[in-house]
């Protein structure tokens, strides 16, 4: 008799194990999934067939906290994988939120950038403010007295202050990708060019010649006390067939070409066709716009060939040159 009772219990248990899931037997193999967001967005329970994938819900919000994912337990020890994990029973998945803090980076009294860091994470140390301002150290105070330790976990908003070294010389190809990089820009998408790192410099090629709207652009620059520099010295190889190409720099107040004559200054130098490096010197000592704490970019463009009939063929087809270096020089 006892044996029959035991067998009957086992059969019943097996039946419910087959039709149910989790701890609570549910008919037709349906499982209820709950979402715990700990005070964040509320979600309705969903019903999922046992053995099927759970559809990933929309990302929840919880104030200013950062959502890190859905987890299988409230200790956040294992993430739920919506592409692989299948529902095996009634269950709850848990939204993990962490606080995020602002890390503000300052130079010369102005905030240069802001980065978000999750609680317990670590701030990063940018190497440059701009391509001409290399950071020597980051400090906790504006007086640059106490250095910041980047091995310290972030637990609140922080402000960091840069002590910088002014860079006024760029040697290629070492500095091709320095800062935001030297690159080709064009005012129309049909006119392009390339900048390539080669063994002894930076090769610049314009694909489709045009008068003014294709140019080589420097990274953003910041030069304190710009008036103390008197020259721009360039080493180059002109690979174009024309021997009287011109080389021009100009600066705009808003770091973008806008065609307003008062916003830029063109400085020219002849570029000879050459198989070896030549040096070109541009006198900027009398250029009133290059002074004070100068911020802007350098544009290199306006390659012009004067024909015998007096017309100007600007950026002739096949314009190619190599930059070896660009440097600001004091007296």
């Amino acid at each position: 008799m006892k044996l029959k009772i035991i067998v009957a219990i086992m059969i019943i248990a097996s039946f419910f194990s087959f039709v149910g899931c989790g701890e609570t037997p549910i008919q037709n193999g349906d499982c209820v999934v709950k979402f715990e967001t700990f005070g964040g967005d509320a979600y309705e329970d969903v019903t999922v067939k046992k053995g099927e994938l759970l559809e990933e819900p929309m990302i929840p919000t919880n104030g200013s906290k950062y959502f890190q994912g859905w987890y299988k337990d409230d200790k956040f020890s294992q993430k739920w994988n919506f592409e692989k994990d299948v529902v095996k029973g009634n269950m709850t998945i848990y939204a993990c939120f962490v606080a995020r803090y602002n890390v503000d980076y300052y130079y010369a009294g102005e905030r240069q950038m802001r980065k978000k860091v999750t609680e317990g994470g670590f701030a990063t140390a940018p190497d440059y403010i701009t391509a001409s301002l290399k950071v020597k150290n980051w400090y906790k105070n504006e007086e640059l007295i106490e250095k910041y330790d980047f091995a310290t976990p972030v637990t609140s908003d922080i402000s960091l202050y840069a002590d910088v070294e002014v860079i006024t010389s760029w040697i290629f190809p070492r500095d091709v990708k320095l800062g935001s990089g030297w690159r080709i820009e064009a005012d129309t998408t049909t006119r392009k060019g390339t900048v390539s790192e080669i063994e002894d410099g930076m090769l610049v090629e314009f694909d489709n010649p045009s008068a003014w709207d294709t140019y080589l652009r420097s990274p953003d620059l910041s030069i304190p006390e710009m008036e103390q520099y008197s020259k721009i010295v360039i080493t180059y190889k002109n690979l174009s067939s024309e021997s009287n190409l011109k080389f021009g720099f100009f600066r705009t107040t808003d770091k973008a070409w806008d065609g307003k004559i008062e916003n830029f200054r063109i400085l020219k130098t002849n570029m000879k066709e050459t198989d070896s490096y030549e040096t070109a010197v541009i006198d900027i000592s009398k250029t009133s716009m290059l002074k004070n704490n100068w911020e802007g970019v350098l544009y290199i463009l306006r390659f012009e060939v004067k024909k015998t009939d007096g017309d100007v063929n600007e950026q002739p087809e096949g314009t190619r040159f190599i930059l070896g270096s660009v440097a600001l020089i004091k007296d």
Side-chain angles (χ1 to χ4, degrees):
M1 183 67 179
K2 288 183 178 180
L3 180 60
K4 291 182 179 180
I5 294 174
I6 293 173
V7 170
I9 292 173
M10 290 177 64
I11 292 173
I12 293 172
S14 298
F15 172 76
F16 281 114
S17 175
F18 175 76
V19 300
C21 54
E23 295 181 355
T24 305
I26 299 176
Q27 293 183 358
N28 301 321
D30 288 336
C31 304
V32 176
V33 179
K34 299 178 180 291
F35 301 89
E36 174 59 65
T37 62
F38 303 98
D41 295 337
Y43 291 83
E44 293 184 357
D45 299 348
V46 297
T47 301
V48 181
K49 293 289 185 182
K50 181 180 179 181
E52 292 187 355
L53 295 172
L54 172 65
E55 183 179 350
E56 185 172 3
M58 294 183 63
I59 295 176
T61 61
N62 191 343
S64 61
K65 294 180 180 180
Y66 175 69
F67 175 67
Q68 283 198 316
W70 293 100
Y71 284 76
K72 297 180 180 181
D73 62 283
D74 58 4
K75 303 299 182 183
F76 312 117
S77 61
Q78 189 176 6
K79 269 191 173 183
W80 182 269
N81 188 325
F82 289 93
E83 296 181 354
K84 295 182 179 180
D85 291 335
V86 296
V87 175
K88 297 179 180 179
N90 294 336
M91 56 176 283
T92 301
I93 61 171
Y94 302 86
C96 179
F97 294 94
V98 294
R100 287 208 302 177
Y101 298 108
N102 296 323
V103 179
D104 292 326
Y105 299 84
Y106 287 86
Y107 168 70
E110 295 185 4
R111 190 178 73 189
Q112 304 297 317
M113 67 190 84
R114 166 176 285 180
K115 295 186 178 182
K116 296 282 189 179
V117 179
T118 57
E119 185 171 25
F122 301 92
T124 57
D127 295 325
Y128 289 87
I129 300 296
T130 67
S132 58
L133 296 177
K134 183 177 181 179
V135 179
K136 294 191 290 185
N137 285 296
W138 288 100
Y139 288 82
K140 298 172 66 173
N141 42 54
E142 198 168 1
E143 297 76 20
L144 307 182
I145 296 173
E146 185 179 357
K147 291 182 182 179
Y148 180 75
D149 182 2
F150 286 91
T152 304
V154 174
T155 57
S156 63
D157 292 338
I158 59 175
S159 296
L160 302 177
Y161 302 87
D163 180 21
V164 303
E165 170 189 359
V166 180
I167 305 297
T168 57
S169 176
W170 296 271
I171 300 173
F172 306 104
R174 184 194 70 188
D175 298 319
V176 170
K177 298 177 182 178
L178 179 66
S180 58
W182 296 74
R183 61 183 184 270
I184 299 293
E185 285 193 352
D187 293 340
T188 63
T189 56
T190 58
R191 298 183 172 98
K192 300 178 181 179
T194 57
V195 175
S196 307
E197 178 181 334
I198 59 176
E199 184 177 354
D200 61 344
M202 177 170 66
L203 175 63
V204 182
E205 300 178 278
F206 291 109
D207 295 340
N208 294 296
S210 62
W212 282 100
D213 53 5
T214 305
Y215 36 81
L216 176 68
R217 181 195 191 277
S218 78
D220 291 347
L221 303 176
S222 302
I223 311 291
E225 300 178 4
M226 183 67 163
E227 62 273 15
Q228 66 183 308
Y229 301 96
S230 61
K231 303 179 183 69
I232 296 176
V233 177
I234 307 144
T235 61
Y236 70 92
K237 291 181 184 179
N238 176 22
L239 306 178
S240 300
S241 58
E242 304 291 347
S243 60
N244 60 339
L245 294 174
K246 303 264 183 178
F247 194 106
F249 284 81
F250 60 102
R251 171 263 196 193
T252 64
T253 55
D254 59 355
K255 303 179 186 176
W257 165 252
D258 58 16
K260 296 179 180 179
I261 191 68
E262 66 271 17
N263 282 348
F264 65 86
R265 174 77 176 185
I266 298 174
L267 306 166
K268 297 181 181 179
T269 183
N270 288 318
M271 290 178 64
K272 299 184 292 185
E273 183 179 6
T274 176
D275 292 328
S276 59
Y277 271 110
E278 296 287 338
T279 299
V281 179
I282 302 175
D283 182 5
I284 63 172
S285 60
K286 298 179 182 179
T287 305
S288 61
M289 298 185 68
L290 301 178
K291 62 181 181 179
N292 301 326
N293 294 330
W294 184 86
E295 293 188 357
V297 295
L298 298 178
Y299 290 98
I300 303 173
L301 79 169
R302 191 170 175 79
F303 301 89
E304 61 182 32
V305 177
K306 291 187 178 180
K307 298 180 179 179
T308 55
D309 59 5
D311 288 339
V312 173
N313 175 22
E314 296 182 284
Q315 289 190 10
E317 193 165 354
T319 297
R320 302 171 69 242
F321 64 95
I322 298 173
L323 276 185
S325 64
V326 177
L328 290 169
I329 305 297
K330 298 180 181 179
D331 289 332

